Every structure is written in C-alpha cells, then in structure tokens.
DNA sequence: ATGAAAGCGCTAACAT
DNA sequence: ATGTTAGCGCTTTCAT
C-alpha cells in the first residue's frame, strides 16, 4: 500500500518549475542561494500544495528524529502524568520535539522492548523513569548512540556513566517530612512504603532515619512495608496504602506519625485509616512526598513535601536536547514542605 | 551527522554472506524461499549483530508507521492519563503500535500543529479527545490519508463522516447521577460545569435536565457555570470546582444536590464546600462522573457514575488499527452508578 | 534458491 | 543561481 495522498518535494519542484534541491534549499534556510523571485515561486508552491516535508525521509537522510522517548512506570499514576506534561511542553516549545511515550509497569522486559523500539524508530533521546536495579541497559543504549536521562536515580559513585541523572533530593525530602512530624511532638514514627527497593526509596528512608536519629528516636522509628504492586503498576499504590491504613487502624501500638513514600500512598493511607475509624490528624498524622495537586483536595488537606517537578523536567529535556553529553548527576535541592491539615500533635 | 552505530541490513548480509534481499526475506516471513541452512546463517547473523531493522526505512518504503497518535487536552488530568494507559496497552499488545502523545490544552492551533506533525511523521492513525466545536480539521486529516477516531463526541447527524466516534452515554450518565440525588429526596438540584460548552457536556446536562423534569423539578434545576480554564487546561478544573464550592458554601439558598461535570470537578467542589464550612453529604450531596480511582480515596468517598473507559479505549484502538473504515459512531451504554458516601438525604 | 536493481522522499556535495 | 547525483536502509519485483 503506497503512502497516502501526500505531496512530495517533487510535486513542489514541478509546480514551481525548479529542481528538488532548490526546494530543499528553501526548506532548509538556504533561500539566499537563489533569486528572490525563485524563492517566492517555491514558497508559493509549498503553500499551494500544503506541502510538509516527510520527517521520515528527512530522518533517513539526516539520522535525526525530532522525537523524544519518555518511559514511565505507568501513565495512570498522576505523578507521571504531571511529569509527562512538563516534559512534553518543554520539549515541544523549546526544541520542537514530539513525545513518544511508554509504560513499563516496572517490568524489565517491557523496558528493554521500549528501548529496542526507540532505536528502531530512530529516536536518539530518551528520558527514563525506571525502578530497575540495573542500569546496564541504559549504558548500552548510550553505546548504541542514544542520549539518555534517568530520573529519580543517582549516578553510581565511582562508575563513570554516559547516562545523565536528574533527581530531587530524596534524602532531604524524607528528612523534612520526618522532622515536621518530630516538631509536632511525634515520638512513634514510621516510614510507609511498598514492597521493593529503589534508589529513591532508599534515599527517602535514609532521610527518615536521619531525622529520627537526630531526635533520639532511632530505636522506635520503623519502616512499614506494604504489599507488592500488581501488574497495573502504579495507580494501585493507593490501594496498598489503603490496606496498610486499615491494618494500622487495628493496631493499638501503631505509630502516630507516618511518612508516606509518596502522595498517592499518603492518600491511600488516610482513606484506610479513616475506614478503620482512626482520625487524621487527631490520632495519626500523615505526610506525603511529591507535590501532587490532589493533595490540596483531600480531607484533611495533605501536608507534603513538594518536589520541583517542572525544574527537573526542564533540566532533563535541556540536557538531552542540547549538544554534548548530559551532566552525570544533577540533584535538585529545592524541596519544601507544604503544610496543610494532615499533621497535628499526637494524642497524649 | 550520520546515524549512530546501528547495524544495517547490509551488515547482516555481509556477515551471513548473502544479499540484502535474502535478509529482507527472512525478516518478512519468507524464510521458506531459501535453503534452511541459509536461513539459519542469516538468523545467526541477525542475532550476532543484534540487528533491528530501521522502522524509518521500512516506513519510507511501505508507507506504514507502527505508531498511534493520541491527542488529549492535558496529560496532567488523571482521567486522560487513565485513558492513555488503556489505549497504550491495547495498541501495544494487540497491534504492536507505539504511542505518540500530545496535549492541546484545548487550543485549536496546538491541535492543528499536532496533526501536521503526525502527518509528517508518517503516522496514519490518531485518536483525538478534542473539545473544539469544529470537526472539519479531522475530516481533512482523513482526506489526507489518516484514520481518525474521536472520543467523547457524537457524529454530526445527517452529515456522513469519515471520522469514527466513540463516546460514553453521557446523557445517561447525567441522568443517572441526577436520579440518584432525586431518589435521596433532593429537590434543589444543580449541574456544575466550567465555562465553555462541548458536546459531551451538553449531553450530560441534557441527562440532568431530563431527570429533573421527570421528577417535576424542571423549574428549580439549574446549571452553575464556573470560570474558564487557564492555559494549563485540565488539572485546574479542580480549582474551578473548589472556587465554586466556596461560593456555594456562602449561599444560603444553594442547591442541596450537585452533579459535577466530572470527578475532578466533584473533588474540587467537595474541598471548597468543606473550606466554606459546609458538610458533605450532611448539608450538600455531590456526585461525580468519570470513574477515577481517586474518587475512592476522597473523604467522604465520592459517589460517581463510572464510565467504561477500558472498553472504549479498546474499541478506538481496534477501529483504528483494523482494516476498513471505522464505524461512524459507537455509544457505550454501560455507565453505572458507584455509591460511596457523598450523597445523603438533604437537610430537612 | 538467491541476487541485482529500482525506488520510497529527502539532503547535500558537487557540478554547471 | 540552479540542477545533477548519490545515497540514507529497507522492500520488492524481476532475473538468474
């Protein structure tokens, strides 16, 4: 089956009574190489025929595709939707790049397949939000000619990497959230997470422990590990939170101050606690991490640590769309606590 | 700059000591045209060199791109994230199609630019969630060789369309939500929406009015129109809801039963009402439309009309990826009310 | 059973 | 100032 009824550079050339190269020249900003009159004729022909040069053919020739790959755990997770929005608008407005998006559901095979496909599609820049322990596949993508940026991971120390890394200061985010609880008088603290360890989770937990230790609470601070995420990946994280909230509600020895892995988890936690008859923040305080706009809508409003999503998205796009190797590691430290109503003093 | 260090069909041919056409033949399931021994040599070479045929070149030749365009108002809106997830997984698993996504922020120029780009990229199938009044640009995309599916719009009656339409039964959704309020004894009803009319909003409102009329409430039922959405499009819809909730809270004559345009609006409404000191559902009842998982997390849990998102997503992908013209209109009638806790009897 | 050749739509030397 | 040519990586007749 032939390509659709699209006009080609030849059609334009014929219409303007010039050669294809002349058309190509005006297309590529070399209009000064010809008589103004010719240029105008060509431009008129382009307009008349509604000609848009095929990116396919351009790519085949130049090896460059104006496409950016974005790999997220799940598009149904509002957090990634938010990041995707920022990535897209920056990529589009500043660099004229379109977005080719994929969800991995945190599955290594899906992630690998995505990279294969990107390569085959001629996509040479990709941003990955991965939770895989290994980063070898990313390095190998770079070796195959890609520019890749990894979000929410640190560069492996001592191991020079061709992969760029952008991450919020997860340690500080965890610390800030925990310190806020401590400041309100909480002595029984827990960090609530899902099964499976990622680098960013580890950092948030380290921040949690650091704050607890600083308050002399090292002994009592604990980590609560929810169930694993099912095939659907990330939107179920709230379900896990809800189940844990329910479970905590039934436990008279439960912690009074909870730091959630992220806002979705926090929202789920609050729902579970409430269902279990426990009042937030009167009986239990909860703080989230992320900065989802949804946190402002919850009841009580969720106190959380806001991450500089837009800045990070822009940094990733710039690093990947610009020339030269991306910086191996950029840590965004502008994390700040947004107080709402989910934190109060613990019950006496 | 040349294409990256990628192996081509020529490399494979050389490695296997055959011609490129032979390699192409094994690639395209014509392995029976040669000696098994040859085939094996080729396959070994493919594996050894990690060869993936360039989709670019294939496309240029065949005119087919295994890419699906998806145009949404905003990826930051969880509803569209959810739809995108379903579209992606169906497109990928069943048809091997990758997703090229774009946000329009309900802007006609951005929408047009997206279509231009898709065309230039050789993308021949696109799913659009548009709120533009006109559908001419879609028809013209079809004329230019695209298969296009439109979500949440009806086909214009009497006007044969090459564009396929998939939509939930918005009328029934609005009716169901309203009837639920009526069944709980509400007599002062309002449909709460944002500025700007779309086809689906009109249908939901019609359902609202039909239910109100059936209950003898035609006179008192009213439509409340919030502010316009700013550049960011859709995530601010919750903000509009919040502002309206606040406003309603201050109005002693306010309706007691609210049908929100969608779940995000409903969530915002509840937050605004609460901030204004009005209790949901004791003083005001709220019902949403969509079926966001977030509705289960709110406090009180949001009663809403669930739309068959997955089914619709699959239908769109199948219509567009299959052969032949897409059906001009498919209305999905499996809308159902999910009861939670945001509806109760009105205050006496 | 296999290969040579043409061509998809474009770009960029290199002529003229 | 403009045209000719070669070629990007692949598919597909058509020869051999």
């Amino acid at each position: 089956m032939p390509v659709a009824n699209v006009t080609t550079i030849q059609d334009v050339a014929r219409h303007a009574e010039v050669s294809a190269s002349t058309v190509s020249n005006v297309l590529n900003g070399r209009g000064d190489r010809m008589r103004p009159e010719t240029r105008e004729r060509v431009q008129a022909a382009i307009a008349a025929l509604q000609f848009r040069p095929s990116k396919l053919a351009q790519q085949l020739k130049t090896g460059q595709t104006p496409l950016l790959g974005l790999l997220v755990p799940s598009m149904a997770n509002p957090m990634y939707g938010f990041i995707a929005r920022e990535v897209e608008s920056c990529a589009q407005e500043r660099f004229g790049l379109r977005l080719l998006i994929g969800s991995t559901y945190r599955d290594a095979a899906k992630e690998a397949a995505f990279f294969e496909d990107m390569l085959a599609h001629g996509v040479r820049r990709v941003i990955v939000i991965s939770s895989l322990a290994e980063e070898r596949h990313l390095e190998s993508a770079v070796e195959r000619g890609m520019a890749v940026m990894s979000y929410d991971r640190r560069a492996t120390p001592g191991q020079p990497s061709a992969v760029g890394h952008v991450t919020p200061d997860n340690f500080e985010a965890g610390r800030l959230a925990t310190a806020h609880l401590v400041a309100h008088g909480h002595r029984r603290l827990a960090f609530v997470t899902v099964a499976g360890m990622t680098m960013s989770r580890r950092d948030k937990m380290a921040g949690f422990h650091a704050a607890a230790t600083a308050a002399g609470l090292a002994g009592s601070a604990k980590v609560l590990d929810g169930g694993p995420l099912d095939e659907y990946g990330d939107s179920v994280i709230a379900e896990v939170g809800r189940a844990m909230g329910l479970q905590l509600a039934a436990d008279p020895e439960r912690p009074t101050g909870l730091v959630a892995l992220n806002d979705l988890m926090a929202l789920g936690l609050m729902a579970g606690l409430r269902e279990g008859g426990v009042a937030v923040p009167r009986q239990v305080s909860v703080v989230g991490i992320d900065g989802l706009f949804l946190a402002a809508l919850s009841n009580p409003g969720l106190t959380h640590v806001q991450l500089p999503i837009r800045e990070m998205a822009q940094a990733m796009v710039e690093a990947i769309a610009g020339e030269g190797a991306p910086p191996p590691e950029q840590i965004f430290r502008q994390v700040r606590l947004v107080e709402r109503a989910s934190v109060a003093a613990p019950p006496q």
Side-chain angles (χ1 to χ4, degrees), chain A residues 141-160:
Chain A
V142 173
E143 282 158 22
R144 301 220 248 159
M146 280 194 167
V148 1
M149 291 296 291
S150 175
Y151 172 75
D152 214 15
R153 298 182 57 103
R154 313 279 303 273
T156 312
Q159 192 180 293

Side-chain angles (χ1 to χ4, degrees), chain A residues 150-175:
Chain A
S150 175
Y151 172 75
D152 214 15
R153 298 182 57 103
R154 313 279 303 273
T156 312
Q159 192 180 293
S161 173
V163 175
H165 297 262
V166 160
T167 168
D169 190 341
N170 284 311
F171 176 93
E172 178 62 9
R175 203 198 58 73

